[in-house]
Amino acid sequence: MAADSKMDEIEAASAILGHFTALIENGLAARFSGWLSAPGGWRDFLQGLEVAGYSPALLAVGVVATCLAAVLATTAIARLIVGKRKAGPVLRAVALLAAGMIVMLTFWAVLLSFVTEPVLRGALLNCTAIAALATTICLPLMAGRKSVGWPWRRDVAISIGIAAAGLVVLACLRAWSAADPLRDLFATFAVSLPFTLMVAATYVRHRALVVRALSFGSTTGSLRRKLAASWPWLVVALVVLAFVFIQLAMTLGRPMRGGPLVLSLLLVLAGPHLDIAMERRGWRAARSQGGELRGVLWRTFRIVVAASILAILATLWLLPILDVAGVSRGTVLLKAAEMLMLVLVIAFCWNWVAIMAAGIRPHAPGQPQAGTAVIGTRLTTVGPVLAGLAKAALLTLGALTILVMLGINVWPLITGLSIFGLAVGLGSQTLVKDVVAGLFFVVDDAFRHGEYIETSGAKGTVERISLRSVSLRHPRGPVATIPFGQIGKIQNFSREWVIEKMLFRVALDTDVELVRKLFKEIGQEIAADPALNADLIEPFKSQGIGALEEGTLVIRAKYKARAGHQFQIRKAILSKVRARLQENNIKLVPKPLQVPQMGG
């Protein structure tokens, strides 16, 4: 029985495949035969225009003039709105949208008032809309000829312009009821195929420019850099697949809706570039003085634009499917609006936390994005940990709220997560120990970013602090990551001040009082040096004879300086001591060697 059932399934699949293949073969044969009859259909179309009282030449001139007028009017109104001011991307976008709407409404009002013939009026209305829309898309692409991405943007604008011209002709053919084979031939070889080839060639030819533009702010090997590197090829695959689907739908006798398809394709192509442009703007705003709020708003606006694009795509393609499935469109739109508002609130809070965390993160001088930090405050140490906890809380709260909006009971989920968390805690006592010990170290302010510390297992500069470990970079380069539970005793060399003690060996007959005066003069010179006195707390001075060793005098000296800044002062002192002792014929004596005695 099982074998018979499997054979029936194979036969059913083969029948479906055969039926589909037959549909494609019949559709291709019908399309090819229609293309061959296109010259006769074109003559019939022209004769039909003459019978209807139209002159084909004058009609073509009128359509071209209307399109040119719409293009020029849109450009002029956009520039008039922007004026001579240095407009940002938002103002330019608003100006373009406003100009396009003004032109369409004005032209439509004129056409409705003065053109009485319905077919001609409908054709001119469609041509005006296509010309105004194409202008609003191409104007920003054609701006900034001296910019790095100008060749790519120019070729994309040319592709859109040629496709728009083809759509104008196709609209006229549809308005005057041209034969279906003629419209099919023109749509395939004058609109779809040229646009696909030109866009694919543009992205392949200028892929380096596209990758550079989309890699803004990313590091080597990051996910964004990888997506940027693959985006040109994804675009090629996207436009080719769109062309294949269009042709397949027309072959099967079920042509796709051209407007939604073109709009969807344009939104998908423009989405990453719009996101990068807004990220650049937000990055500059956040780094300007007092621009934290503007940076948060720009980052949130990115979420709004991305959500709007997804909403448009879902409205074009998903809602019709839900209508067929019997799902209420009003319910879907209401739930989508509620979740969108929640996402925007969470995005605003998330971006605010991220910008605040970036503002308190310590960096090396002159290197805003350097990985090695200078000595930071207590806030710079605790801030990243608190920011991580806040982001985790926002994600958890947002996910639970969305589940509640969808009518899902979250209490069993919360209970299960609590039990799971308890089990994980019991099974990972070492991890819990590290986290708790780290919290106490942070509370006690035992160390901060950029401080040089020594633990029971390693020593170096504090470079990174996480929830369970601290990373120390040794002066020679290696990084040691130590769990908080294994740190033990901490010796911090970067807090407040240090006393640096120095030993000098001189001959037994050296004038100790002269050495004291020389050291005092050196201390006064160091204290007067503007490059060193800011880090000097107590001047360099002699402490007299410290010891007598093998016929030599050991003279001690010391100075007090800011922790971590004593080394430059030490170098200057040693250089001056050597020169000053040499000037006064005082010789430094090497440390006596301890020679082991041979046993008898």
Side-chain angles (χ1 to χ4, degrees):
M1 295 294 293
D4 294 339
S5 176
K6 188 174 183 180
M7 289 297 298
D8 292 339
E9 293 177 358
I10 294 175
E11 291 177 357
S14 300
I16 294 174
L17 181 60
H19 179 67
F20 184 74
T21 303
L23 287 176
I24 292 179
E25 292 177 353
N26 296 332
L28 287 176
R31 293 185 69 188
F32 282 137
S33 62
W35 293 347
L36 294 176
S37 63
W42 176 251
R43 288 192 297 269
D44 294 339
F45 173 70
L46 296 179
Q47 291 176 1
L49 291 177
E50 293 176 352
V51 170
Y54 297 105
S55 172
L58 292 178
L59 184 62
V61 171
V63 170
V64 172
T66 303
C67 293
L68 288 177
V71 170
L72 295 176
T74 305
T75 306
I77 295 176
R79 292 180 177 177
L80 181 63
I81 295 176
V82 175
K84 297 182 178 180
R85 294 168 294 177
K86 187 177 180 181
V90 175
L91 182 57
R92 288 197 299 267
V94 172
L96 288 171
L97 292 175
M101 292 300 299
I102 291 173
V103 168
M104 284 191 289
L105 293 176
T106 303
F107 275 58
W108 288 357
V110 172
L111 292 174
L112 290 174
S113 301
F114 295 97
V115 180
T116 57
E117 208 283 316
V119 177
L120 178 60
R121 183 171 56 192
L124 294 180
L125 289 175
N126 291 331
C127 294
T128 303
I130 294 171
L133 178 61
T135 305
T136 57
I137 297 173
C138 293
L139 273 181
L141 293 173
M142 298 297 288
R145 298 190 179 185
K146 295 182 180 180
S147 60
V148 178
W150 159 252
W152 165 77
R153 293 190 284 109
R154 175 201 60 201
D155 291 349
V156 172
I158 293 174
S159 304
I160 295 174
I162 293 176
L167 290 176
V168 167
V169 177
L170 193 60
C172 294
L173 292 177
R174 186 182 298 110
W176 279 283
S177 303
D180 290 340
L182 179 61
R183 291 159 51 189
D184 181 11
L185 180 66
F186 191 85
T188 301
F189 294 99
V191 181
S192 299
L193 185 59
F195 180 78
T196 301
L197 294 178
M198 292 184 67
V199 171
T202 298
Y203 273 85
V204 172
R205 180 184 176 187
H206 303 297
R207 58 184 180 276
L209 296 177
V210 177
V211 172
R212 188 186 312 171
L214 297 182
S215 300
F216 172 77
S218 61
T219 57
T220 303
S222 62
L223 179 60
R224 171 177 287 185
R225 183 66 63 90
K226 294 178 181 178
L227 290 175
S230 60
W231 181 248
W233 306 108
L234 292 176
V235 170
V236 173
L238 180 65
V239 294
V240 171
L241 285 176
F243 176 77
V244 171
F245 285 145
I246 291 173
Q247 300 306 312
L248 182 61
M250 295 183 70
T251 301
L252 295 175
R254 299 177 179 271
M256 303 176 66
R257 295 181 296 169
L261 181 63
V262 173
L263 181 59
S264 304
L265 189 61
L266 290 176
L267 288 175
V268 172
L269 294 179
H273 303 283
L274 288 174
D275 184 73
I276 289 296
M278 290 183 291
E279 183 178 7
R280 288 177 182 270
R281 188 74 177 182
W283 183 81
R284 293 176 185 143
R287 280 154 181 78
S288 62
Q289 186 175 3
E292 291 85 1
L293 180 59
R294 285 186 288 120
V296 172
L297 292 176
W298 270 107
R299 290 191 176 189
T300 308
F301 186 62
R302 290 174 57 197
I303 305 295
V304 173
V305 173
S308 300
I309 292 176
L310 292 176
I312 293 173
L313 295 176
T315 303
L316 294 176
W317 301 105
L318 185 60
L319 284 183
I321 298 176
L322 294 177
D323 289 339
V324 175
V327 180
S328 173
R329 178 172 294 196
T331 304
V332 174
L333 293 177
L334 179 60
K335 293 294 183 182
E338 293 176 354
M339 287 188 285
L340 178 60
M341 293 300 298
L342 175 65
V343 169
L344 293 182
V345 172
I346 293 178
F348 182 84
C349 299
W350 177 284
N351 293 326
W352 182 268
V353 171
I355 288 183
M356 292 297 103
I360 64 175
R361 187 181 300 119
H363 300 298
Q367 299 178 1
Q369 301 299 327
T372 302
V374 296
I375 296 177
T377 63
R378 190 172 185 181
L379 180 61
T380 61
T381 303
V382 182
V385 178
L386 296 179
L389 294 175
K391 289 181 178 180
L394 285 173
L395 286 178
T396 303
L397 181 62
L400 293 177
T401 306
I402 289 177
L403 292 177
V404 171
M405 288 180 177
L406 295 176
I408 299 175
N409 187 7
V410 299
W411 288 110
L413 179 62
I414 295 176
T415 305
L417 290 177
S418 302
I419 298 174
F420 178 75
L422 179 61
V424 171
L426 293 176
S428 56
Q429 297 182 11
T430 303
L431 176 62
V432 175
K433 175 185 175 182
D434 293 337
V435 173
V436 174
L439 292 177
F440 281 107
F441 277 124
V442 172
V443 170
D444 292 340
D445 197 19
F447 50 82
R448 300 174 183 174
H449 275 284
E451 293 184 335
Y452 189 90
I453 66 173
E454 182 176 355
T455 68
S456 57
K459 60 182 177 180
T461 303
V462 178
E463 189 169 271
R464 185 181 63 87
I465 300 175
S466 66
L467 284 176
R468 65 170 298 271
S469 65
V470 59
S471 296
L472 306 180
R473 184 174 291 276
H474 193 271
R476 295 182 179 178
V479 177
T481 300
I482 311 168
F484 288 122
Q486 301 178 14
I487 286 182
K489 177 184 176 182
I490 293 179
Q491 191 172 2
N492 195 326
F493 294 91
S494 301
R495 287 294 171 89
E496 299 178 359
W497 51 266
V498 295
I499 295 178
E500 189 77 7
K501 295 189 175 183
M502 309 173 72
L503 299 177
F504 300 94
R505 300 178 185 277
V506 296
L508 189 62
D509 57 350
T510 301
D511 187 350
V512 178
E513 182 64 20
L514 177 60
V515 173
R516 185 189 66 80
K517 292 180 179 180
L518 294 176
F519 281 10
K520 183 177 180 180
E521 293 176 359
I522 293 172
Q524 292 174 351
E525 293 175 3
I526 295 295
D529 189 344
L532 302 174
N533 58 10
D535 299 322
L536 185 66
I537 299 176
E538 292 183 3
F540 173 72
K541 60 184 178 180
S542 172
Q543 290 185 291
I545 299 175
L548 292 173
E549 294 181 355
E550 301 292 337
T552 62
L553 291 178
V554 179
I555 299 179
R556 297 185 302 173
K558 70 174 184 178
Y559 64 94
K560 189 176 182 180
R562 290 174 56 200
H565 299 268
Q566 70 270 26
F567 304 107
Q568 289 296 112
I569 299 176
R570 180 185 179 88
K571 289 171 59 178
I573 289 175
L574 291 176
S575 177
K576 289 180 178 294
V577 166
R578 175 182 175 276
R580 196 63 56 86
L581 293 181
Q582 189 175 8
E583 291 173 359
N584 290 272
N585 296 320
I586 300 176
K587 295 184 179 180
L588 294 173
V589 179
K591 184 178 181 180
L593 296 177
Q594 299 292 333
V595 180
Q597 297 181 358
M598 300 297 294

